[in-house]
Amino acid sequence: MCHSVALRSIALADPDPQRLRERVLADFHASFDRYESLFEVLQGEQAFTVKPIALRHPLIFYLGHTATFFINKLVLAGVLQQRIDPRLESMFAVGVDEMSWDDLDEAHYDWPSAAQVRAYRDRVRQTVDRLIRELPISSPIAWDSPWWVILMGIEHERIHLETSSVLIRQHRLEFVRPHPHWQPCPERGEPPANELVPVAAASLRLGRDRADPGYYGWDNEFGEHVANTAAFQAARHLVSNREFLGFVQAGGYADDALWSEEGAAWKAFARAEHPSFWLREGAHWKLRLMCEVVDMPWNWPVETNFHEAQAFCNWKARRDGLPVRLPSEDEWHALRRAAGIGDGPQPRPAAANFELDHWASSCPVDRFAHGPFFDAVGNVWQWLDTPTYPFPGFQVHPIYDDFTTPTFDERHNLIKGGSWVSCGNQALPVSRYAFRRHFFQHAGFRYVVGERPAPPEGSMYETDALVSQYCEFHWGAEPFGVPNFPRALAEIAVRAMQGRPMRRALDLGCATGRASFALARHFEHVVGIDFSARFIGVGTQLAEQGRIRYQLPDEGELVSYHERSLREYALQDLAGKVEFVQGDACNLKATVRDFDLVLAANLIDRLYSPALFLREVHRRIVSGGMLVITSPYTWLEEHTRREEWIGGFKKDGENFSTLDGLEQMLGEHFERVGEPLQVPFVIRETRRKFQHTVSELTVWRRR
């Protein structure tokens, strides 16, 4: 099933920049086309609006999501100045997370039709096509180039090509149909007996260089990790359906002793008795593929989540008396290098079942040999024993700050090698993707035998510099006796209510959530919204776990570690009254409304369009409700284009302050209450360096 245009990652350096531009253009259209063809397997409008599984949006969301990703990220990067459809770009911006297997998403959305989303995608295609043709380009494309953002959109779509194919595979069969571009492998039979192959000790240096990336990469791939692996043995083949059947027939799903506590809880919740894609018809087993059900191909790799793979290894270890387990990330690299697999893209067609070079399904486990192994890469992803963690030197990319950081929680395990539908970056051995252990992907596993290596030195402390700084700003000490800023704002806002109903409050630009919790002392329900998922993650962690940990720079390479809890501030009983949501203050969802109070703290001078926010904010507040705005009025073009400033300049030859701009823009719907207040705050940079700033606070009553 080889297609005319490959979906490989392209080299970022080319002596001919125009040729590089043409390669990016071809790459964009190839990925956009392939993604749209995937949704052609759906039949009927209901197929787009019925959820395949309860934990995800319906497929109409994913058809729109990858297109809105291009626009949202290009607007954020300043490459695009105007949106195409703000409503869709808000609705399709953030998917349902897979953080919990028992947290059902019950939200209801007024989804557009598939035809409307396709029409929107056509407009996005035209917009990005024009950008690629007209945007100045230099070679090589660098991490901080606007072209990196375009490649980010392409690779993001390839990720969802895979994850959407999994959702389609989980959809009701009546909603899908076979498609000529998505044909499964016809090769089926019995597998060879699996056997162990020795892997020699290895010295590894992993991680990529941001200054010379070679190919597009996600933030977690960069940095440097040095490791040495001891000798071990590894299965020649991936575990096949036939090999896994032994575990099923031995009662492995009923034996809780083989499962971790987390795995047993998932198993009980899911009522799992066999792999998710297996179907039993009488005495016969069948396998659900993406668009059809077939007789069980016993020589294909089994597809499981991490818990099932780990339980199988525990069963085999007990049965055979050997230390059977899943490989670590370092051991997987030692194995793939022993198999002769390099770091870059494979030739085309690949001597492996991935990048859609062959079929739209798995294939026999003895089909593609790599040195002494089979399927060192490709066919199905391989679960590893390693929870994902940052390499030393890790940095988030400012345009996608939440790609990886939410997974640094010891609950997400790495998968390696790619599957039959893994394209571009996913097919690079240096990529690092991780999912919650209950998650289903086109993923299986290979077992190894040997003593378990020491785990990497992952830290549950927040290490992102900006997030840690705001953890301290909100939850830490009060330097030089200056009162805690978010707590002080909440107290002023509560006083400003002057006996009005205190039902719902919105903390807009909530950062790590201190004001949200402080407001919850007085309001029945508080919603905290921030653009940064990293900040939202801190608030959510506090609400769920009651504590956070973070490290701060002291001097040079020296850091200090800090832990804060809601209990320290007598806020532990308020977590149920607070929720945190990622959102764009300039493009909030229509459901964000009917608040008695909106607090916008130090927000307006960081928005890309503060005027848009100010002209729309009245729609979020009930009549008679209050708006509290604070800002140091630090207008910077890196955050807000000069023409978008609402004050801080000369107008008609006279000074025009931000307060003047607020009066002008809010006057139609609000009246100012009282005189402005000056509220100081201090932000710690290092142990001996602090920012001391004064923010102006104004209170406005909606007419």
Side-chain angles (χ1 to χ4, degrees), residues 537-699:
V538 174
T540 300
Q541 182 178 333
L542 279 162
E544 292 180 351
Q545 303 176 19
R547 66 181 64 247
I548 52 172
R549 298 183 178 95
Y550 54 95
Q551 69 177 42
L552 293 173
D554 278 354
E555 58 180 275
E557 297 178 348
L558 303 179
V559 299
S560 55
Y561 296 89
H562 303 263
E563 179 174 309
R564 306 293 181 188
S565 70
L566 293 180
R567 187 171 297 278
E568 291 178 58
Y569 310 102
L571 296 170
Q572 69 273 15
D573 296 329
L574 303 176
K577 298 172 66 176
V578 180
E579 67 170 311
F580 293 96
V581 181
Q582 186 183 12
D584 179 351
C586 298
N587 192 29
L588 293 170
K589 289 181 168 62
T591 53
V592 180
R593 54 180 297 174
D594 299 328
F595 291 97
D596 301 291
L597 168 72
V598 171
L599 171 62
N602 292 0
L603 177 70
I604 58 172
D605 59 354
R606 291 297 182 266
L607 298 177
Y608 60 82
S609 182
L612 177 60
F613 163 69
L614 292 168
R615 293 191 179 106
E616 293 291 321
V617 68
H618 69 278
R619 303 181 188 279
R620 316 295 174 180
I621 304 175
V622 299
S623 178
M626 308 301 286
L627 169 65
V628 176
I629 294 178
T630 74
S631 174
Y633 307 149
T634 311
W635 297 104
L636 297 171
E637 289 200 84
E638 65 185 87
H639 301 299
T640 312
R641 288 183 295 128
R642 170 62 182 78
E643 57 268 31
E644 290 281 356
W645 295 5
I646 64 169
F649 50 78
K650 293 282 187 179
K651 183 177 182 181
D652 300 326
E654 301 296 332
N655 290 347
F656 190 80
S657 70
T658 304
L659 183 58
D660 294 330
L662 290 172
E663 294 273 13
Q664 185 179 89
M665 293 183 179
L666 293 175
E668 180 180 355
H669 299 286
F670 293 87
E671 60 179 345
R672 201 179 80 202
V673 178
E675 293 300 312
L677 301 176
Q678 308 306 312
V679 185
F681 62 90
V682 175
I683 294 180
R684 179 195 193 275
E685 291 186 16
T686 70
R687 188 177 180 182
R688 295 176 178 84
K689 183 181 179 185
F690 299 80
Q691 300 175 24
H692 183 236
T693 311
V694 177
S695 193
E696 185 165 273
L697 180 148
T698 51
V699 179

Side-chain angles (χ1 to χ4, degrees), residues 242-408:
R242 174 63 74 189
E243 190 172 8
F244 197 84
L245 179 64
F247 170 72
V248 175
Q249 292 177 331
Y253 279 84
D255 187 350
D256 283 352
L258 299 172
W259 299 73
S260 68
E261 181 178 353
E262 179 188 338
W266 165 80
K267 176 169 63 73
F269 175 84
R271 299 180 180 177
E273 298 178 349
H274 52 73
S276 179
F277 298 118
W278 285 22
L279 303 173
R280 192 197 299 267
E281 292 187 3
H284 301 285
W285 288 101
K286 293 183 177 291
L287 184 67
R288 169 65 191 268
L289 305 183
M290 195 170 72
C291 297
E292 59 187 296
V293 173
V294 299
D295 290 334
M296 181 63 71
W298 294 112
N299 58 345
W300 290 14
V302 69
E303 290 160 285
T304 70
N305 64 21
F306 172 88
H307 298 308
E308 294 167 301
Q310 185 183 56
F312 173 93
C313 290
N314 292 339
W315 167 75
K316 188 169 178 61
R318 187 173 68 185
R319 189 194 69 176
D320 297 349
L322 296 172
V324 179
R325 55 179 174 82
L326 295 174
S328 69
E329 180 182 22
D330 294 341
E331 288 171 330
W332 184 86
H333 280 288
L335 184 153
R336 64 100 176 174
R337 290 182 179 180
I341 304 295
D343 290 350
Q346 298 296 304
R348 183 170 185 260
N353 186 19
F354 61 10
E355 303 219 65
L356 290 168
D357 278 0
H358 303 284
W359 308 282
S361 76
S362 301
C363 70
V365 296
D366 56 349
R367 179 67 168 75
F368 290 103
H370 301 133
F373 296 98
F374 287 80
D375 296 323
V377 294
N379 217 357
V380 293
W381 289 96
Q382 300 172 46
W383 282 107
L384 301 184
D385 194 42
T386 307
T388 190
Y389 67 98
F391 286 160
F394 167 82
Q395 294 179 19
V396 299
H397 195 283
I399 304 302
Y400 199 171
D401 69 351
D402 57 326
F403 180 80
T404 306
T405 49
T407 69
F408 294 152

Side-chain angles (χ1 to χ4, degrees), residues 457-532:
E457 293 184 4
S459 173
M460 293 297 290
Y461 286 85
E462 176 59 64
T463 58
D464 180 272
L466 184 61
V467 178
S468 296
Q469 185 181 81
Y470 270 75
C471 287
E472 180 68 8
F473 177 38
H474 278 214
W475 299 97
E478 296 184 351
F480 311 111
V482 176
N484 180 277
F485 183 70
R487 186 194 67 211
L489 297 187
E491 292 170 352
I492 294 170
V494 168
R495 289 198 298 270
M497 295 302 292
Q498 296 179 339
R500 291 177 177 80
M502 288 191 283
R503 295 169 296 237
R504 304 183 72 233
L506 172 62
D507 183 9
L508 198 52
C510 64
T512 59
R514 179 66 183 273
S516 301
F517 283 96
L519 289 171
R521 290 187 187 276
H522 306 276
F523 285 79
E524 297 172 15
H525 186 70
V526 180
V527 178
I529 293 181
D530 200 282
F531 188 81
S532 171

